Amino acid sequence: MDSLSLVGVSSLTRTISSLSLSSSSSCSDAVSTPGTERSLLFDDYDQSPINRADAGESFILVVGGLGYIGSHTTLELLKEGYNVIVVDDLSNSYLEVLDRIWLLAKEYLKTINRTLPSLKFHKIDYRDPAMRSVLATYDSTDGLGQSRSRISGAIHFAAFKSVEESISKPIPYYQNNVCGFVDFISVLEGFGIKNLVFSSSATVYGSMANQGVPLREEHCVHQQETYVDQLGQQRTVEGGVYGLTSPYGRTKWMCEAILADIARADPSWTITALRYFNPVGCHESGLLGEDPRQKPTNLVPVIMSVLEGERPVLQVFGTDWDTVDGTAVRDFIHVVDLARGHVAALAAAAKRPLREPFRTFNLGTGRGHSVREVLRSMEKASSRTVPVKEVARREGDVGSCVAEVRRAEAELGWRTQKSLDDCSVDVWNFLELSKRGQQI
Ligand code: UD1
């Protein structure tokens, strides 16, 4: 995926033209926002106001909005007509992703004849004290002279996410993912922004994933809860979880626990923690993709690096799990479905109060696929064979991790639409397009 990062803006524009997307827009109008290194505004204010009764003057703040999941979510928000403010320090992303999001949003909205919302970008570390100045620019004064933020909700993607790196460097993980996050919550609260979507992970289920049953939200709670299990038995579960296997996983669990405490103390918050299963795939255009700066360790990016010739072989970690074919089983969710889950979470929070001010949701398909099935799917999409070496289980892995998805379906009105094969086709398209982009 490094190849994507090498696609210059001019070749990108040519690539995009060849895809029949509008290329009339790019980063524009550098403006200065106090305290930030640089701000870019994408404004279409000269056009008629957006066609959403509730979105005209309000924004969704997307922190880490140019990364893998953040970029797809920003695009889906724009497609739904939300005005978006992206905050990203570009430490693990590229500015040209912003162009790509904007072009894809424009192209889509043109096809359905809808007016473009607004996209604003601030290059800043979300922990920087200058974030207060950024947020202050979105304050407005109401008829009674009261200051009110035009940011109606925030989504946080700016966490570090490498399991391996978190084991070797736990301090930056706790500093960024926990300390920085708590400071950020306090800044949001100071501006009266109390609607938050938090990127959590199925990793919070710890050793519950070893039990071979679909994971439900009640398997990891932050205060005592009673629920009815799949056999109709009433169960009481205590807050806490066993068997977290990495500092990364602990940061996710800690942040959830902190958010649960905050919501309990102040129920005027609406906090949605979305527990991602295994996000894979990319936008079908091939213009948005995954992890341009980090060496991949997750399954699909590793298969991609083998297909690109950057690695000689895919190591399959463990063939002795108690699963259909002995390889581990995961719930692979297409990143566009995942992104739409965030939009559904915001919409649900806006329409009606959540059942509790802090509420967790699994974002998965509810269906497991083995490592070998993923491999076969990628081989089919690419019409290539991936060389494989079977090795021992990877430390900290679990055999099976699949979501129970009923809560998200019932309360968010969301479910996945894309298959594993869709993921593979889109990822292969992304690889092919990146290569062609470089040659144009
Ligand atoms: C990990 C994290 C999870 C995080 C997710 C996505 C843990 C326990 N899991 O999930 O929190 O949300 O990444 O970033 O912290 N595999 C191979 N060969 C490879 C790579 C992977 O066989 O080269 C296998 C793994 O052993 C595993 C499966 O593929 O059985 C999926 O692995 P991976 O994509 O890394 O995701 P998880 O470990 O499930």
Side-chain angles (χ1 to χ4, degrees), residues 204-205 214-222 225 227 237 256 273 275 277 359-364 403-409 411-412:
V204 299
Y205 291 112
L215 292 159
R216 49 188 290 172
E217 288 82 355
E218 292 89 346
H219 288 144
C220 173
V221 296
H222 300 285
E225 263 184 42
Y227 70 101
V237 54
E256 276 200 10
R275 295 174 173 169
F277 278 67
R359 191 83 172 143
T360 58
F361 294 95
N362 287 341
L363 293 190
E404 163 59 66
V405 294
R406 271 178 288 187
R407 182 184 286 187
E409 287 184 2
E411 296 178 33
L412 302 182

PDB file of all heavy atoms in Angstrom, residues 204-205 214-222 225 227 237 256 273 275 277 359-364 403-409 411-412:
ATOM      1  N   VAL A 204     -11.951  -6.039  23.170  1.00  0.00           N
ATOM      2  CA  VAL A 204     -12.384  -5.858  24.567  1.00  0.00           C
ATOM      3  C   VAL A 204     -13.013  -7.130  25.142  1.00  0.00           C
ATOM      4  O   VAL A 204     -13.179  -7.240  26.357  1.00  0.00           O
ATOM      5  CB  VAL A 204     -13.376  -4.675  24.755  1.00  0.00           C
ATOM      6  CG1 VAL A 204     -12.745  -3.359  24.348  1.00  0.00           C
ATOM      7  CG2 VAL A 204     -14.686  -4.923  24.013  1.00  0.00           C
ATOM      8  N   TYR A 205     -13.367  -8.092  24.297  1.00  0.00           N
ATOM      9  CA  TYR A 205     -13.965  -9.324  24.819  1.00  0.00           C
ATOM     10  C   TYR A 205     -12.930 -10.271  25.413  1.00  0.00           C
ATOM     11  O   TYR A 205     -13.296 -11.265  26.050  1.00  0.00           O
ATOM     12  CB  TYR A 205     -14.787 -10.034  23.729  1.00  0.00           C
ATOM     13  CG  TYR A 205     -16.036  -9.261  23.362  1.00  0.00           C
ATOM     14  CD1 TYR A 205     -16.179  -8.667  22.118  1.00  0.00           C
ATOM     15  CD2 TYR A 205     -17.056  -9.083  24.298  1.00  0.00           C
ATOM     16  CE1 TYR A 205     -17.308  -7.935  21.802  1.00  0.00           C
ATOM     17  CE2 TYR A 205     -18.184  -8.348  23.993  1.00  0.00           C
ATOM     18  CZ  TYR A 205     -18.312  -7.781  22.743  1.00  0.00           C
ATOM     19  OH  TYR A 205     -19.427  -7.038  22.436  1.00  0.00           O
ATOM     20  N   PRO A 214     -20.944 -16.755  19.497  1.00  0.00           N
ATOM     21  CA  PRO A 214     -20.953 -15.371  19.013  1.00  0.00           C
ATOM     22  C   PRO A 214     -20.885 -14.409  20.199  1.00  0.00           C
ATOM     23  O   PRO A 214     -21.542 -14.624  21.226  1.00  0.00           O
ATOM     24  CB  PRO A 214     -22.290 -15.263  18.284  1.00  0.00           C
ATOM     25  CG  PRO A 214     -22.658 -16.666  17.930  1.00  0.00           C
ATOM     26  CD  PRO A 214     -22.101 -17.521  19.030  1.00  0.00           C
ATOM     27  N   LEU A 215     -20.080 -13.377  20.049  1.00  0.00           N
ATOM     28  CA  LEU A 215     -19.866 -12.448  21.158  1.00  0.00           C
ATOM     29  C   LEU A 215     -20.984 -11.427  21.194  1.00  0.00           C
ATOM     30  O   LEU A 215     -21.292 -10.803  20.170  1.00  0.00           O
ATOM     31  CB  LEU A 215     -18.506 -11.768  20.979  1.00  0.00           C
ATOM     32  CG  LEU A 215     -17.354 -12.754  21.155  1.00  0.00           C
ATOM     33  CD1 LEU A 215     -16.081 -12.240  20.501  1.00  0.00           C
ATOM     34  CD2 LEU A 215     -17.134 -13.043  22.638  1.00  0.00           C
ATOM     35  N   ARG A 216     -21.589 -11.274  22.356  1.00  0.00           N
ATOM     36  CA  ARG A 216     -22.626 -10.260  22.477  1.00  0.00           C
ATOM     37  C   ARG A 216     -22.160  -9.177  23.444  1.00  0.00           C
ATOM     38  O   ARG A 216     -21.276  -9.408  24.272  1.00  0.00           O
ATOM     39  CB  ARG A 216     -23.968 -10.866  22.882  1.00  0.00           C
ATOM     40  CG  ARG A 216     -23.943 -11.796  24.055  1.00  0.00           C
ATOM     41  CD  ARG A 216     -25.277 -12.470  24.225  1.00  0.00           C
ATOM     42  NE  ARG A 216     -26.298 -11.525  24.671  1.00  0.00           N
ATOM     43  CZ  ARG A 216     -27.597 -11.833  24.753  1.00  0.00           C
ATOM     44  NH1 ARG A 216     -28.026 -13.030  24.403  1.00  0.00           N
ATOM     45  NH2 ARG A 216     -28.462 -10.935  25.176  1.00  0.00           N
ATOM     46  N   GLU A 217     -22.755  -8.020  23.313  1.00  0.00           N
ATOM     47  CA  GLU A 217     -22.286  -6.856  24.054  1.00  0.00           C
ATOM     48  C   GLU A 217     -22.241  -7.124  25.553  1.00  0.00           C
ATOM     49  O   GLU A 217     -21.372  -6.618  26.270  1.00  0.00           O
ATOM     50  CB  GLU A 217     -23.177  -5.642  23.759  1.00  0.00           C
ATOM     51  CG  GLU A 217     -22.989  -5.065  22.351  1.00  0.00           C
ATOM     52  CD  GLU A 217     -23.767  -5.799  21.262  1.00  0.00           C
ATOM     53  OE1 GLU A 217     -24.397  -6.847  21.561  1.00  0.00           O
ATOM     54  OE2 GLU A 217     -23.751  -5.315  20.108  1.00  0.00           O
ATOM     55  N   GLU A 218     -23.148  -7.955  26.037  1.00  0.00           N
ATOM     56  CA  GLU A 218     -23.193  -8.226  27.487  1.00  0.00           C
ATOM     57  C   GLU A 218     -21.995  -9.046  27.962  1.00  0.00           C
ATOM     58  O   GLU A 218     -21.802  -9.209  29.166  1.00  0.00           O
ATOM     59  CB  GLU A 218     -24.485  -8.964  27.849  1.00  0.00           C
ATOM     60  CG  GLU A 218     -25.747  -8.124  27.692  1.00  0.00           C
ATOM     61  CD  GLU A 218     -26.342  -8.225  26.291  1.00  0.00           C
ATOM     62  OE1 GLU A 218     -25.650  -8.720  25.365  1.00  0.00           O
ATOM     63  OE2 GLU A 218     -27.500  -7.802  26.124  1.00  0.00           O
ATOM     64  N   HIS A 219     -21.197  -9.573  27.026  1.00  0.00           N
ATOM     65  CA  HIS A 219     -20.003 -10.306  27.448  1.00  0.00           C
ATOM     66  C   HIS A 219     -18.897  -9.375  27.935  1.00  0.00           C
ATOM     67  O   HIS A 219     -17.886  -9.841  28.472  1.00  0.00           O
ATOM     68  CB  HIS A 219     -19.478 -11.179  26.299  1.00  0.00           C
ATOM     69  CG  HIS A 219     -20.351 -12.360  26.012  1.00  0.00           C
ATOM     70  ND1 HIS A 219     -20.564 -12.850  24.750  1.00  0.00           N
ATOM     71  CD2 HIS A 219     -21.094 -13.145  26.834  1.00  0.00           C
ATOM     72  CE1 HIS A 219     -21.385 -13.892  24.789  1.00  0.00           C
ATOM     73  NE2 HIS A 219     -21.722 -14.087  26.058  1.00  0.00           N
ATOM     74  N   CYS A 220     -19.035  -8.113  27.712  1.00  0.00           N
ATOM     75  CA  CYS A 220     -18.098  -7.138  28.301  1.00  0.00           C
ATOM     76  C   CYS A 220     -18.900  -5.898  28.670  1.00  0.00           C
ATOM     77  O   CYS A 220     -19.300  -5.127  27.801  1.00  0.00           O
ATOM     78  CB  CYS A 220     -16.985  -6.779  27.324  1.00  0.00           C
ATOM     79  SG  CYS A 220     -15.944  -5.436  27.932  1.00  0.00           S
ATOM     80  N   VAL A 221     -19.164  -5.736  29.966  1.00  0.00           N
ATOM     81  CA  VAL A 221     -19.931  -4.575  30.436  1.00  0.00           C
ATOM     82  C   VAL A 221     -19.105  -3.831  31.486  1.00  0.00           C
ATOM     83  O   VAL A 221     -18.106  -4.359  31.992  1.00  0.00           O
ATOM     84  CB  VAL A 221     -21.305  -4.995  31.012  1.00  0.00           C
ATOM     85  CG1 VAL A 221     -22.173  -5.608  29.937  1.00  0.00           C
ATOM     86  CG2 VAL A 221     -21.126  -5.958  32.187  1.00  0.00           C
ATOM     87  N   HIS A 222     -19.545  -2.632  31.798  1.00  0.00           N
ATOM     88  CA  HIS A 222     -18.758  -1.810  32.730  1.00  0.00           C
ATOM     89  C   HIS A 222     -19.477  -1.586  34.050  1.00  0.00           C
ATOM     90  O   HIS A 222     -18.970  -0.899  34.924  1.00  0.00           O
ATOM     91  CB  HIS A 222     -18.373  -0.504  32.041  1.00  0.00           C
ATOM     92  CG  HIS A 222     -17.551  -0.766  30.804  1.00  0.00           C
ATOM     93  ND1 HIS A 222     -16.237  -1.136  30.851  1.00  0.00           N
ATOM     94  CD2 HIS A 222     -17.896  -0.780  29.478  1.00  0.00           C
ATOM     95  CE1 HIS A 222     -15.778  -1.343  29.619  1.00  0.00           C
ATOM     96  NE2 HIS A 222     -16.774  -1.144  28.775  1.00  0.00           N
ATOM     97  N   GLU A 225     -25.007  -5.969  34.920  1.00  0.00           N
ATOM     98  CA  GLU A 225     -26.166  -5.993  34.009  1.00  0.00           C
ATOM     99  C   GLU A 225     -26.834  -7.354  34.081  1.00  0.00           C
ATOM    100  O   GLU A 225     -26.172  -8.361  34.317  1.00  0.00           O
ATOM    101  CB  GLU A 225     -25.708  -5.809  32.555  1.00  0.00           C
ATOM    102  CG  GLU A 225     -25.815  -4.401  32.042  1.00  0.00           C
ATOM    103  CD  GLU A 225     -25.450  -4.267  30.570  1.00  0.00           C
ATOM    104  OE1 GLU A 225     -25.846  -5.135  29.761  1.00  0.00           O
ATOM    105  OE2 GLU A 225     -24.768  -3.298  30.241  1.00  0.00           O
ATOM    106  N   TYR A 227     -29.227  -9.966  31.730  1.00  0.00           N
ATOM    107  CA  TYR A 227     -29.721 -10.165  30.371  1.00  0.00           C
ATOM    108  C   TYR A 227     -30.189 -11.607  30.212  1.00  0.00           C
ATOM    109  O   TYR A 227     -29.913 -12.461  31.057  1.00  0.00           O
ATOM    110  CB  TYR A 227     -28.637  -9.837  29.334  1.00  0.00           C
ATOM    111  CG  TYR A 227     -27.488 -10.808  29.265  1.00  0.00           C
ATOM    112  CD1 TYR A 227     -27.425 -11.781  28.264  1.00  0.00           C
ATOM    113  CD2 TYR A 227     -26.451 -10.768  30.192  1.00  0.00           C
ATOM    114  CE1 TYR A 227     -26.367 -12.669  28.183  1.00  0.00           C
ATOM    115  CE2 TYR A 227     -25.387 -11.658  30.128  1.00  0.00           C
ATOM    116  CZ  TYR A 227     -25.357 -12.611  29.115  1.00  0.00           C
ATOM    117  OH  TYR A 227     -24.312 -13.489  29.046  1.00  0.00           O
ATOM    118  N   VAL A 237     -24.337 -10.259  34.917  1.00  0.00           N
ATOM    119  CA  VAL A 237     -22.918 -10.175  34.591  1.00  0.00           C
ATOM    120  C   VAL A 237     -22.322  -8.955  35.289  1.00  0.00           C
ATOM    121  O   VAL A 237     -22.958  -7.909  35.370  1.00  0.00           O
ATOM    122  CB  VAL A 237     -22.721 -10.154  33.055  1.00  0.00           C
ATOM    123  CG1 VAL A 237     -23.513  -9.069  32.388  1.00  0.00           C
ATOM    124  CG2 VAL A 237     -21.267 -10.021  32.663  1.00  0.00           C
ATOM    125  N   GLU A 256     -13.438   2.663  27.127  1.00  0.00           N
ATOM    126  CA  GLU A 256     -14.867   2.339  27.288  1.00  0.00           C
ATOM    127  C   GLU A 256     -15.297   2.515  28.746  1.00  0.00           C
ATOM    128  O   GLU A 256     -16.349   3.096  29.033  1.00  0.00           O
ATOM    129  CB  GLU A 256     -15.135   0.880  26.881  1.00  0.00           C
ATOM    130  CG  GLU A 256     -15.341   0.668  25.403  1.00  0.00           C
ATOM    131  CD  GLU A 256     -16.068  -0.651  25.128  1.00  0.00           C
ATOM    132  OE1 GLU A 256     -16.571  -1.294  26.079  1.00  0.00           O
ATOM    133  OE2 GLU A 256     -16.141  -1.044  23.952  1.00  0.00           O
ATOM    134  N   ALA A 273     -20.128   3.407  21.851  1.00  0.00           N
ATOM    135  CA  ALA A 273     -18.845   2.722  21.614  1.00  0.00           C
ATOM    136  C   ALA A 273     -19.101   1.628  20.593  1.00  0.00           C
ATOM    137  O   ALA A 273     -19.913   0.718  20.819  1.00  0.00           O
ATOM    138  CB  ALA A 273     -18.310   2.139  22.909  1.00  0.00           C
ATOM    139  N   ARG A 275     -17.824  -1.498  18.671  1.00  0.00           N
ATOM    140  CA  ARG A 275     -16.806  -2.548  18.781  1.00  0.00           C
ATOM    141  C   ARG A 275     -16.613  -3.200  17.413  1.00  0.00           C
ATOM    142  O   ARG A 275     -17.430  -4.020  16.982  1.00  0.00           O
ATOM    143  CB  ARG A 275     -17.251  -3.579  19.829  1.00  0.00           C
ATOM    144  CG  ARG A 275     -17.311  -2.985  21.222  1.00  0.00           C
ATOM    145  CD  ARG A 275     -17.877  -3.943  22.237  1.00  0.00           C
ATOM    146  NE  ARG A 275     -17.772  -3.408  23.586  1.00  0.00           N
ATOM    147  CZ  ARG A 275     -18.358  -3.928  24.655  1.00  0.00           C
ATOM    148  NH1 ARG A 275     -19.114  -5.017  24.522  1.00  0.00           N
ATOM    149  NH2 ARG A 275     -18.190  -3.382  25.843  1.00  0.00           N
ATOM    150  N   PHE A 277     -15.242  -5.583  14.610  1.00  0.00           N
ATOM    151  CA  PHE A 277     -14.655  -6.913  14.486  1.00  0.00           C
ATOM    152  C   PHE A 277     -13.448  -6.773  13.536  1.00  0.00           C
ATOM    153  O   PHE A 277     -12.566  -5.994  13.835  1.00  0.00           O
ATOM    154  CB  PHE A 277     -15.732  -7.957  14.154  1.00  0.00           C
ATOM    155  CG  PHE A 277     -16.425  -8.348  15.457  1.00  0.00           C
ATOM    156  CD1 PHE A 277     -17.210  -7.423  16.149  1.00  0.00           C
ATOM    157  CD2 PHE A 277     -16.196  -9.571  16.056  1.00  0.00           C
ATOM    158  CE1 PHE A 277     -17.751  -7.710  17.398  1.00  0.00           C
ATOM    159  CE2 PHE A 277     -16.742  -9.876  17.298  1.00  0.00           C
ATOM    160  CZ  PHE A 277     -17.516  -8.947  17.964  1.00  0.00           C
ATOM    161  N   ARG A 359     -23.615   3.411  25.452  1.00  0.00           N
ATOM    162  CA  ARG A 359     -24.141   2.162  24.885  1.00  0.00           C
ATOM    163  C   ARG A 359     -23.107   1.560  23.944  1.00  0.00           C
ATOM    164  O   ARG A 359     -22.528   2.272  23.111  1.00  0.00           O
ATOM    165  CB  ARG A 359     -25.434   2.490  24.117  1.00  0.00           C
ATOM    166  CG  ARG A 359     -26.225   1.280  23.698  1.00  0.00           C
ATOM    167  CD  ARG A 359     -27.095   0.785  24.806  1.00  0.00           C
ATOM    168  NE  ARG A 359     -27.992  -0.259  24.355  1.00  0.00           N
ATOM    169  CZ  ARG A 359     -28.320  -1.316  25.102  1.00  0.00           C
ATOM    170  NH1 ARG A 359     -27.835  -1.469  26.320  1.00  0.00           N
ATOM    171  NH2 ARG A 359     -29.162  -2.211  24.647  1.00  0.00           N
ATOM    172  N   THR A 360     -22.886   0.256  24.067  1.00  0.00           N
ATOM    173  CA  THR A 360     -21.920  -0.419  23.189  1.00  0.00           C
ATOM    174  C   THR A 360     -22.654  -1.182  22.070  1.00  0.00           C
ATOM    175  O   THR A 360     -23.764  -1.694  22.288  1.00  0.00           O
ATOM    176  CB  THR A 360     -21.081  -1.449  23.987  1.00  0.00           C
ATOM    177  OG1 THR A 360     -21.979  -2.382  24.594  1.00  0.00           O
ATOM    178  CG2 THR A 360     -20.231  -0.772  25.045  1.00  0.00           C
ATOM    179  N   PHE A 361     -22.020  -1.259  20.910  1.00  0.00           N
ATOM    180  CA  PHE A 361     -22.588  -2.008  19.789  1.00  0.00           C
ATOM    181  C   PHE A 361     -21.484  -2.770  19.076  1.00  0.00           C
ATOM    182  O   PHE A 361     -20.436  -2.197  18.759  1.00  0.00           O
ATOM    183  CB  PHE A 361     -23.241  -1.063  18.763  1.00  0.00           C
ATOM    184  CG  PHE A 361     -24.440  -0.345  19.289  1.00  0.00           C
ATOM    185  CD1 PHE A 361     -24.306   0.926  19.824  1.00  0.00           C
ATOM    186  CD2 PHE A 361     -25.690  -0.940  19.268  1.00  0.00           C
ATOM    187  CE1 PHE A 361     -25.411   1.601  20.325  1.00  0.00           C
ATOM    188  CE2 PHE A 361     -26.800  -0.272  19.766  1.00  0.00           C
ATOM    189  CZ  PHE A 361     -26.661   0.996  20.301  1.00  0.00           C
ATOM    190  N   ASN A 362     -21.738  -4.024  18.775  1.00  0.00           N
ATOM    191  CA  ASN A 362     -20.843  -4.776  17.894  1.00  0.00           C
ATOM    192  C   ASN A 362     -21.065  -4.332  16.461  1.00  0.00           C
ATOM    193  O   ASN A 362     -22.219  -4.260  16.004  1.00  0.00           O
ATOM    194  CB  ASN A 362     -21.162  -6.272  17.957  1.00  0.00           C
ATOM    195  CG  ASN A 362     -20.719  -6.903  19.248  1.00  0.00           C
ATOM    196  OD1 ASN A 362     -19.869  -6.357  19.964  1.00  0.00           O
ATOM    197  ND2 ASN A 362     -21.274  -8.070  19.562  1.00  0.00           N
ATOM    198  N   LEU A 363     -19.991  -4.076  15.748  1.00  0.00           N
ATOM    199  CA  LEU A 363     -20.097  -3.881  14.305  1.00  0.00           C
ATOM    200  C   LEU A 363     -19.375  -5.040  13.621  1.00  0.00           C
ATOM    201  O   LEU A 363     -18.146  -5.091  13.547  1.00  0.00           O
ATOM    202  CB  LEU A 363     -19.505  -2.536  13.858  1.00  0.00           C
ATOM    203  CG  LEU A 363     -20.233  -1.271  14.320  1.00  0.00           C
ATOM    204  CD1 LEU A 363     -19.692  -0.038  13.600  1.00  0.00           C
ATOM    205  CD2 LEU A 363     -21.751  -1.337  14.138  1.00  0.00           C
ATOM    206  N   GLY A 364     -20.151  -5.998  13.183  1.00  0.00           N
ATOM    207  CA  GLY A 364     -19.635  -7.174  12.490  1.00  0.00           C
ATOM    208  C   GLY A 364     -20.724  -7.689  11.577  1.00  0.00           C
ATOM    209  O   GLY A 364     -21.821  -7.116  11.503  1.00  0.00           O
ATOM    210  N   ALA A 403     -19.216 -11.821  15.766  1.00  0.00           N
ATOM    211  CA  ALA A 403     -20.147 -10.921  16.465  1.00  0.00           C
ATOM    212  C   ALA A 403     -21.564 -11.476  16.514  1.00  0.00           C
ATOM    213  O   ALA A 403     -22.042 -12.095  15.566  1.00  0.00           O
ATOM    214  CB  ALA A 403     -20.182  -9.575  15.750  1.00  0.00           C
ATOM    215  N   GLU A 404     -22.232 -11.209  17.605  1.00  0.00           N
ATOM    216  CA  GLU A 404     -23.693 -11.281  17.658  1.00  0.00           C
ATOM    217  C   GLU A 404     -24.149  -9.868  17.293  1.00  0.00           C
ATOM    218  O   GLU A 404     -23.694  -8.892  17.889  1.00  0.00           O
ATOM    219  CB  GLU A 404     -24.107 -11.662  19.086  1.00  0.00           C
ATOM    220  CG  GLU A 404     -25.540 -11.401  19.458  1.00  0.00           C
ATOM    221  CD  GLU A 404     -26.524 -12.116  18.579  1.00  0.00           C
ATOM    222  OE1 GLU A 404     -26.551 -13.342  18.612  1.00  0.00           O
ATOM    223  OE2 GLU A 404     -27.274 -11.425  17.859  1.00  0.00           O
ATOM    224  N   VAL A 405     -24.989  -9.737  16.280  1.00  0.00           N
ATOM    225  CA  VAL A 405     -25.237  -8.403  15.713  1.00  0.00           C
ATOM    226  C   VAL A 405     -26.647  -7.859  15.972  1.00  0.00           C
ATOM    227  O   VAL A 405     -27.004  -6.809  15.448  1.00  0.00           O
ATOM    228  CB  VAL A 405     -24.945  -8.388  14.188  1.00  0.00           C
ATOM    229  CG1 VAL A 405     -23.470  -8.610  13.930  1.00  0.00           C
ATOM    230  CG2 VAL A 405     -25.782  -9.423  13.448  1.00  0.00           C
ATOM    231  N   ARG A 406     -27.409  -8.577  16.814  1.00  0.00           N
ATOM    232  CA  ARG A 406     -28.815  -8.169  16.941  1.00  0.00           C
ATOM    233  C   ARG A 406     -29.013  -6.777  17.539  1.00  0.00           C
ATOM    234  O   ARG A 406     -29.914  -6.053  17.168  1.00  0.00           O
ATOM    235  CB  ARG A 406     -29.600  -9.203  17.750  1.00  0.00           C
ATOM    236  CG  ARG A 406     -30.179 -10.276  16.850  1.00  0.00           C
ATOM    237  CD  ARG A 406     -30.897 -11.318  17.607  1.00  0.00           C
ATOM    238  NE  ARG A 406     -29.951 -12.166  18.338  1.00  0.00           N
ATOM    239  CZ  ARG A 406     -30.299 -13.260  18.999  1.00  0.00           C
ATOM    240  NH1 ARG A 406     -31.552 -13.638  19.048  1.00  0.00           N
ATOM    241  NH2 ARG A 406     -29.408 -13.982  19.623  1.00  0.00           N
ATOM    242  N   ARG A 407     -28.123  -6.412  18.479  1.00  0.00           N
ATOM    243  CA  ARG A 407     -28.330  -5.110  19.123  1.00  0.00           C
ATOM    244  C   ARG A 407     -28.184  -3.971  18.095  1.00  0.00           C
ATOM    245  O   ARG A 407     -28.996  -3.044  18.072  1.00  0.00           O
ATOM    246  CB  ARG A 407     -27.343  -4.909  20.274  1.00  0.00           C
ATOM    247  CG  ARG A 407     -27.575  -3.585  20.981  1.00  0.00           C
ATOM    248  CD  ARG A 407     -26.552  -3.304  22.069  1.00  0.00           C
ATOM    249  NE  ARG A 407     -26.747  -4.108  23.254  1.00  0.00           N
ATOM    250  CZ  ARG A 407     -26.055  -3.951  24.391  1.00  0.00           C
ATOM    251  NH1 ARG A 407     -25.132  -3.001  24.472  1.00  0.00           N
ATOM    252  NH2 ARG A 407     -26.275  -4.738  25.430  1.00  0.00           N
ATOM    253  N   ALA A 408     -27.151  -4.065  17.262  1.00  0.00           N
ATOM    254  CA  ALA A 408     -26.946  -2.994  16.262  1.00  0.00           C
ATOM    255  C   ALA A 408     -28.109  -2.964  15.271  1.00  0.00           C
ATOM    256  O   ALA A 408     -28.565  -1.896  14.859  1.00  0.00           O
ATOM    257  CB  ALA A 408     -25.627  -3.189  15.532  1.00  0.00           C
ATOM    258  N   GLU A 409     -28.599  -4.153  14.905  1.00  0.00           N
ATOM    259  CA  GLU A 409     -29.722  -4.191  13.966  1.00  0.00           C
ATOM    260  C   GLU A 409     -30.958  -3.534  14.582  1.00  0.00           C
ATOM    261  O   GLU A 409     -31.629  -2.723  13.952  1.00  0.00           O
ATOM    262  CB  GLU A 409     -30.042  -5.634  13.582  1.00  0.00           C
ATOM    263  CG  GLU A 409     -29.006  -6.234  12.641  1.00  0.00           C
ATOM    264  CD  GLU A 409     -29.371  -7.643  12.183  1.00  0.00           C
ATOM    265  OE1 GLU A 409     -30.452  -8.160  12.549  1.00  0.00           O
ATOM    266  OE2 GLU A 409     -28.547  -8.219  11.466  1.00  0.00           O
ATOM    267  N   GLU A 411     -31.253  -1.524  17.381  1.00  0.00           N
ATOM    268  CA  GLU A 411     -31.209  -0.166  17.945  1.00  0.00           C
ATOM    269  C   GLU A 411     -30.599   0.869  17.005  1.00  0.00           C
ATOM    270  O   GLU A 411     -30.866   2.058  17.139  1.00  0.00           O
ATOM    271  CB  GLU A 411     -30.451  -0.186  19.277  1.00  0.00           C
ATOM    272  CG  GLU A 411     -31.163  -1.027  20.327  1.00  0.00           C
ATOM    273  CD  GLU A 411     -30.406  -1.090  21.648  1.00  0.00           C
ATOM    274  OE1 GLU A 411     -29.740  -0.118  22.008  1.00  0.00           O
ATOM    275  OE2 GLU A 411     -30.477  -2.150  22.306  1.00  0.00           O
ATOM    276  N   LEU A 412     -29.754   0.413  16.081  1.00  0.00           N
ATOM    277  CA  LEU A 412     -29.171   1.370  15.121  1.00  0.00           C
ATOM    278  C   LEU A 412     -29.832   1.258  13.755  1.00  0.00           C
ATOM    279  O   LEU A 412     -29.612   2.105  12.887  1.00  0.00           O
ATOM    280  CB  LEU A 412     -27.660   1.128  14.946  1.00  0.00           C
ATOM    281  CG  LEU A 412     -26.785   1.206  16.197  1.00  0.00           C
ATOM    282  CD1 LEU A 412     -25.315   0.982  15.839  1.00  0.00           C
ATOM    283  CD2 LEU A 412     -26.962   2.550  16.909  1.00  0.00           C
TER     284      LEU A 412
END
